[in-house]
Amino acid sequence: MDCSPPGSGVARYETHRFPSADTDSGSIYFGWRGPQHEDTELIIALEILIEYLAGTPSSPLNLRFVERASPLANSIEACVDESITRMIQVTFSGVPFTHQEPADHPGDGSDDEAHDEACDEDDEDDTEDPDIPHLFDERYFEDLLVAELKRIADTQFDGDSHALENAAKRLIDGLASEIEKSPGKTLQYLLYPDIVASHFSSGSFGKFQVGSRAKQFDTLAELGKKPVEFWLELLKKWFIDGAACHVAMIPDAELGPKLEAERKQIEKANEAKIVDKEAHANYVKEAIEANKVNVPDEMKHAMPTPDPTKAGILPHTQSLVVLDNDIGPVSAVQTINVDSRFVEAQIQIPIGDIPEDMRAYLILFQDLLLGTDVVLPAGVIYDDDKEPLKSEKRIPYADFDSRLSDLVTSHFACVGQDSGQFSCSWLDDLFVVGFLTPYANYPLALRWVVQGLLFADFTTDRILTCSQNLLTSIAELKREVDDVLFTVETHFTNTSPEGKPLSNRRHMSFLEQEGVLKGIIDKTKAGKADKVVAKLREIQNTLLRATGGFMALSLPSSEEPNTYIDTLAREWNMCFERYTQPAIATDAPVAKRHPFPIKYESRFPTLTKPLLVHVPVQSLQASMSLFSFKIDLPDRPTGKRSFDEELKDLTSIDFFALQMLVSLLGRADGPLYNAARGKGYSYGAFIFIMPWSKKLVLEIDRASDIPKAALAINQVIADIHNNWDSYISDTDVSLALSIVQYVNTLLQSTPKKMLDQIISNSINGFKDATEYNTWKSVHLAAVTKNDMRRVFEKYVSRFADKDYPLFRLLVTPSDTEIPAELGSFEVKTLEEISATYRTDY
C-alpha cells in the first residue's frame, strides 16, 4: 500500500460569510486530497486514524479544541468523503467569532513568533483565551491544528501503543451494529464506493473488482495490528505535510435581509420581463402538471393487497420480569432475545415529580452524566480488578470516557425518548441511561455506567466546558428553521395546568436554556459553582432514590435474561451501599409502583379561537409552518374490558383509519405533495398523528413561498371535501394499507427497532408484541373508504377551516409578508418568547 498523497498541491485559505442573527460563532473546514477510490485499504486506514483523532469526546482533537474550559469549537466531525477523488475532511463547528475582520497570515517562517506576539497583545487586553480573537485569521486555526497533530506524532499517540488498535475495534463494533440497525443502507454504503471505483476512478478503468469494501471487517482487523510506525507515517504524509484547503465560515447578521431583498428584486425583475402574461401562465400550468407524480391506475391495480395479519416481524422472545425487590429505581425488567451480537440496556427512571427549580438543570445534567470525572469510594471494584479499592480513586473525565468508549459501541443519558440536545419527542417524565455493547463486555460496561451514574463528580471545569458548548449549540440551532419551528411549537402547545410546574420538555427548550446556561456560566466564573453543583447533585439523588422505573434489555438469542438482571443487582448494590448522599425528605413513604402502562394527559391548551403566531427570524432563508390541534383517538385498549371484547368492537378504528388516510395524502404522488412540492412552493407537506401528545399536525417543510404553499394546501383540502371520490378510490385504500403495513413492519425489523417497539408496547399497555400486532392488524384490515372519509371530515378538514380553534405557526425569514387570507397572525420574535421564561434558578 502506497501511503503517499497524490500530487503536491498548494495550501489555500478562503473566507465565506453566511446569514445568522447570532454572530458569536462560525465554522472552520479543512480538506486534504485523499486516496483514489479503489485504494480501499488506505481509505480504511485513514478512517481508523480519524476515529483515533476525533471519534470520541476524549480523542486528542476533542480534548484540545472542544473539551476545555474555553472551547475553541463545540464539535468536530471528520471523515474521508465519498467523492470520485476522495477528500479528507475535518470540520470544526461552533468556533467563537469575536466580530473582527480576519487578519492576513504573517508570512513564511514567522508562525510561532506571530502567535506569541498575538498572545502577548491579548494578555494585555485580559482576553479569556489568547487564541479566540484570532481563530478566523488566515491560517491561524490551521497552525493550531498542525501543532496538535505534531504533538501527537512526537508523543507517539500519547505513548499508547494500543490506541489505533482500539480505534479499529471501535469501528468494527460500530459497523456491526450499523448492519444490524440498518442492513440495507449499510450494505449500500459498503458496496457503492466499489461500484463507483470500478466505473469512474482514473486508476481502475473497469478493472477494479466490486466487493473489496465488503471485506472491511477483515481489513480493519488486519490494520489494527499495524505497528506505531505505520500510523506515524500515515499521520505525517496525509495530515501534517499535506496541503490543506482551509475555509472559514463567518456569521453575518446583515447578510440574511440582504439576500432576501435580492431575491425579491430578482423576482420582480423576472416578472417585468414577461411580455405575454397569458402564455407564461399556461407555461407554468403545464410545468406544474408535468411535475406531478402520477402513478398509473393500472400500476395501482397491479399492486397486491397485503394481509396485515400475515406481516412478518423479527423473530424474538420477550418477557416482563416484575422484581420482588427493586434494584435501585428499577421495579421491572423488560427483556427481548433476538439474533444479535450486542446487548442494549436502558435504565428508565421516573422524574415526573422532580421539583421545578431542578428541571431547568436537566439539560446540563444529562450532558455531564457520563461526561465528567468519577470518584470511586473505597470498597468498590475498579474496572476489571479482582479486589475492591482500599482507598478513594478519582478517574479524570478523559480517562473515564476513553475506557467507556472502548467497552461500548454507544452510550447516552437523556430525558425521554427520541431526544435531542434540547428536546425530546415523548416520555419526558423518564430519565434514560443506556448503552450498546458486545455481549461479552456487558458486565464491565454496566459497571462503568453504574459507577458513572452514582459517583459522578460535577467539577467546575466540566460545568464550564459543557455549559459553554451547549450555549454555542443553541446559536447553531437558531439558524435551522426546523429546530426553531418545533421549539416554538412546543412553547405554545405544551402547557401545564395552573399551579403545576412547567413540563420537563418545556424546561429543555433552548428558549429557556439560553438564559439558564448564561446564568450558570456567570455563577461558575464568579466562584459560585457550588450552587450549580448542589442542583446537579439534587437531580442525581432524586434519580437514584426513585421508584417505579424499569430496565429494557435486548439480548442475543442464546442468553439467559436472569443472568443479566443478577449482574445489574450485584453492581448496583455494591455501589449504592457506598453512596453517601442523604435520603430525600418526604412526608410519606413512597409506594412501589408498577411501571406499566404509563398514562399521559394532553398538554395541548384549551383554545376557543384560532391561535396564529408568526415568528420572523433574521438568519433564515427558508420558511416552515406547523398547524396542530388536539385529538383524543384511542390507539390502544382502555383496559376497562377484556382485550378480546374491545378488539371485537374495533374501538380504535378511527385512529387506524386516520393513519391510513394521512399516509395516502402525503405519499410521493399524493395531493399534498402535488399541491406544495409539485408547484415549487415547498419541499413537501405532511400530516402526522402524535398519539402521545394527542394531536394532529400538518407540517409544510422548507418553503420558498410559505403563503402560497399554505393556501395551496387549504385549497386541496377543500377540493378533497368536494370531490372525495376523485381523490380516494378503493384501490387507494389498498395502497394506504400497503404504506402503513410497510412502515409498521419496518419498525419491527431490527434488534434496535424491536427493543424500541416492545418498550412502546409495554408503556401503552400491551402485554407483548403479539398482542400489539393483533390489535393493529385487525383494525387495519377493517378500515374502509367510508371510515377514511369520516375521519377526513372530522379531523383533516379542520386544517382548512379558518375559524376552527387550532394552533397555526409560521417561522419565516424576517421580511416575509403574510397575506390576510391566511388569517391575522400575531408576530413574536424569539427574544420576546424567551423573555417569558424564568432563568434565575
Side-chain angles (χ1 to χ4, degrees), residues 17-36:
R17 296 184 177 274
F18 65 92
S20 175
D22 185 298
T23 57
D24 290 334
S25 64
S27 301
I28 291 180
Y29 299 78
F30 293 97
W32 296 262
R33 285 193 66 188
Q36 292 296 322

Side-chain angles (χ1 to χ4, degrees), residues 390-450:
K390 294 183 179 179
S391 60
E392 183 179 277
K393 180 180 180 65
R394 174 175 290 274
I395 307 173
Y397 157 69
D399 294 344
F400 181 87
D401 180 79
S402 178
R403 179 58 171 148
L404 186 59
S405 296
D406 287 341
L407 289 171
V408 305
T409 304
S410 62
H411 62 83
F412 57 91
C414 61
V415 176
Q417 298 286 332
D418 298 331
S419 300
Q421 265 190 314
F422 298 93
S423 63
C424 86
S425 295
W426 61 301
L427 277 180
D428 61 335
D429 285 344
L430 289 177
F431 191 90
V432 189
V433 181
F435 61 91
L436 179 75
T437 183
Y439 72 93
N441 289 355
Y442 172 79
L444 203 51
L446 180 69
R447 174 173 294 170
W448 278 80
V449 169
V450 169

